[in-house]
Amino acid sequence: MTLPTAFGPAHRTTERPRTQPRHDAATAHRIARSATTTGSDFSTGDVPAWLEARRRAHAFRVDRIPFAAMDNWSFQEGTGNLVHDSGRFFSVEGLRVTTPRHRRQQWHQPIIKQPEVGILGILVKEIDGVLHFLLQAKMEPGNRNLLQLSPTVQATRSNYTQAHRGTKVRYLEYFTDPARGRVLADVLQSEHGSWFYRKSNRNMLVEAVGHVPEHDDFRWLTLGQIGELLRLDNVVNMDARTVLACAPIPDTETTALHSDTELLSWITAQRARHDLRAERVPLAGLPGWEYREDSIVHESGRYFDVVAVSVGAASREVAHWTQPLFAPRGLGVTAFLTRTFAGVPHLLVHARLEAGFADTIELGPTVQYTPANYAHLPAEERPAFLDDVMTADPARIRYQALHSEEGGRFLNAESRYLFVQATDDSAPEGYRWATPGQLSALLRHNHYLNVQARTLLSCLTTNAVRL
């Protein structure tokens, strides 16, 4: 029996909620088509000259300075933490890490604390029937060559709320106003867990609705063109690479060495078995670290330094500023070993423990190290697979290029990224074979793959390498 209500007779509505497909296969196929398209009105060969023209159009300068010469930055009384006067942006603090399962069961280090969730967003638009991606020629003080291709929007909350009193972030409205576009990907992903404390960014791909105004510092490129550029050293920045890795791709794999459920169970087991305690402590008096006028360095001369820079960049929201940067000691080596099982390529992932991760463990590449940090160790104590990758016969190398890490916080941080054919199918404790499709599916969720793994997956998404 239907009872009347205070607003009139009750009734059942005949209107049903609209349903949507759980997975947008059409978008994935459009992404795949873009990855196989390398022709465009703006050719790939035009990109280096355009980047050089943007360098000439703006004045860029980065100089190392003493900490005392920084504007609005100081060592906080009591803690010695390096902080901005506004209380915004980020701070450099100390971290004490304790974990019984690590080679070093306890260590201390500086860490970047930046609790803001930034936006890394790439605008997408169909041009002549093919999806194009709007990338920006963006200056970052830590990049070896300063100017690289970045996402359409690459901004912290302090940036896009104009805490620095700079100019408005261009194209931001496409990522904050749902009416301006259709979301193709939107997920929180971590930054470098060794140098950031629980830092995440919102990685977004948004297909624009309507006309998109043009600007000289931005260019539309297909995924295939971006793949060609990923074969070059230091052209596509880290933030663009992580967003591109999150692009939905067609699921063409029919088998895998381990089922999706088995892979997820293994990840959960790895997270459950590792006990890590990361405690923020004062930067002042951090054990093992020496304080100098222009740097904070480890007593061993390894790992990284904390330094200060003065930056001039006419194309940025603020034309001049000073800031701290982390400067690693040596070139990194980051690689996936790859092998085919039943005709399907697989990648050997490593369950990596990094002190700054929100979930303790994320999947990383097979190898992710700075070799100089381990050169003093005998061969049997060096990280698994590192020597194998560094001495690999060129015939085994499927891809290699130098790529910069996060140029807004790290100075001249570069890694040699590789895909290397494995010589056998071994997977020691902490390692597991997974397909690219399985890893791509994990990227629809938060905090499963670290930023280095995402860089290598972006090379697959864009066809920079084919396995």
Side-chain angles (χ1 to χ4, degrees), residues 7-30:
F7 301 99
H11 63 278
R12 287 193 178 92
T13 178
T14 57
E15 216 176 291
R16 292 180 178 270
R18 292 193 306 167
T19 60
Q20 299 288 340
R22 289 182 58 243
H23 303 295
D24 189 351
T27 294
H29 285 289
R30 293 167 74 210

Side-chain angles (χ1 to χ4, degrees), residues 316-373:
R316 293 289 297 264
E317 293 87 1
V318 174
H320 176 265
W321 71 93
T322 61
Q323 68 169 94
L325 290 172
F326 280 23
R329 294 285 187 105
L331 179 72
V333 174
T334 304
F336 266 131
L337 288 181
T338 178
R339 193 169 180 84
T340 298
F341 297 92
V344 177
H346 284 62
L347 305 172
L348 187 60
V349 296
H350 181 201
R352 282 191 60 87
L353 182 151
E354 296 184 19
F357 284 154
D359 289 320
T360 306
I361 292 286
E362 292 190 15
L363 299 186
T366 320
V367 167
Q368 181 193 313
Y369 303 105
T370 301
N373 292 337

Side-chain angles (χ1 to χ4, degrees), residues 258-310:
H258 305 283
S259 71
D260 292 358
T261 300
E262 289 172 340
L263 182 61
L264 284 168
S265 176
W266 175 74
I267 296 169
T268 302
Q270 291 294 315
R271 287 176 169 172
R273 70 190 291 266
H274 283 88
D275 180 21
L276 180 143
R277 185 176 181 183
E279 304 167 272
R280 289 161 49 208
V281 297
L283 185 63
L286 200 63
W289 293 82
E290 300 174 0
Y291 295 74
R292 302 174 181 173
E293 181 180 291
D294 63 351
S295 59
I296 302 172
V297 303
H298 194 265
E299 60 186 8
S300 68
R302 293 190 289 270
Y303 311 119
F304 62 93
D305 303 340
V306 182
V307 301
V309 295
S310 172

Side-chain angles (χ1 to χ4, degrees), residues 341-413:
F341 297 92
V344 177
H346 284 62
L347 305 172
L348 187 60
V349 296
H350 181 201
R352 282 191 60 87
L353 182 151
E354 296 184 19
F357 284 154
D359 289 320
T360 306
I361 292 286
E362 292 190 15
L363 299 186
T366 320
V367 167
Q368 181 193 313
Y369 303 105
T370 301
N373 292 337
Y374 303 91
H376 63 292
L377 297 175
E380 63 272 14
E381 294 184 26
R382 287 198 287 270
F385 302 107
L386 175 60
D387 291 341
D388 178 49
V389 165
M390 292 184 63
T391 60
D393 187 301
R396 293 172 53 203
I397 298 174
R398 307 295 300 275
Y399 168 92
Q400 63 175 323
L402 285 179
H403 292 305
S404 295
E405 304 304 330
E406 216 287 319
R409 298 291 177 266
F410 312 138
L411 180 63
N412 296 332

Side-chain angles (χ1 to χ4, degrees), residues 40 70 79 83 90 170 234 239-240 242 262 332 386 444:
S40 176
M70 288 196 296
T79 66
V83 299
F90 65 97
R170 199 176 300 274
N234 290 323
D239 300 284
T242 177
E262 289 172 340
L386 175 60
R444 292 197 290 265

